[in-house]
Amino acid sequence: QVRLAESGGGSVQAGGSLRLSCVSSGGTASRYCLGWFRQAPGKEREGVAIINAGGNTQVADSVKGRFTISRDNAKSELYLQMNSLKPEDTAMYYCAVRRTLHSCSSTSMETGQYNVWGQGTQVTVSS
């Protein structure tokens, strides 16, 4: 059973950086797509960045050029480097896994396609 645990959230001032980590206790097959999502109060959960089995990535327009997603398959870990943070980045950040039987080549950010979720880590950016 795959279980995910995020860490690295916190409170920073605008312009600062944070690095989020997500560890899978049950292991994460290299064929899975992995992603970071976020949800601000009163808003729907939205995709932030995705990395597929081939290492191809997709990031939301709102964070393009500021956030970078990466994965370490040997450690079953997923990362999100967040630079030049803005107050509008304030949200609960979740990592998620899209478990598939075959190698996942998609970079879709549709939340419904991801079937294992962590508990989230809070990121707060003050102006």
Side-chain angles (χ1 to χ4, degrees), residues 4-9 20-23 36 93-96 117-121:
L4 306 176
E6 304 94 336
S7 62
L20 304 184
S21 297
C22 175
V23 179
W36 287 99
Y93 283 71
Y94 301 88
C95 65
W117 293 83
Q119 293 298 309
T121 185

Side-chain angles (χ1 to χ4, degrees), residues 19-20 22 33-37 47-52 55-60 63 65-72 77-82 94-96 107 109 114:
R19 185 181 190 233
L20 304 184
C22 175
C33 284
L34 307 176
W36 287 99
F37 297 78
V48 176
I50 303 298
I51 184 166
N52 69 12
N56 297 308
T57 63
Q58 180 72 265
V59 296
V63 304
R66 299 187 298 120
F67 291 12
T68 303
I69 186 172
S70 61
R71 65 191 291 172
D72 186 330
E77 294 188 3
L78 177 69
Y79 310 102
L80 184 68
Q81 178 66 44
M82 306 187 295
Y94 301 88
C95 65
T107 53
M109 290 190 184
Y114 285 75

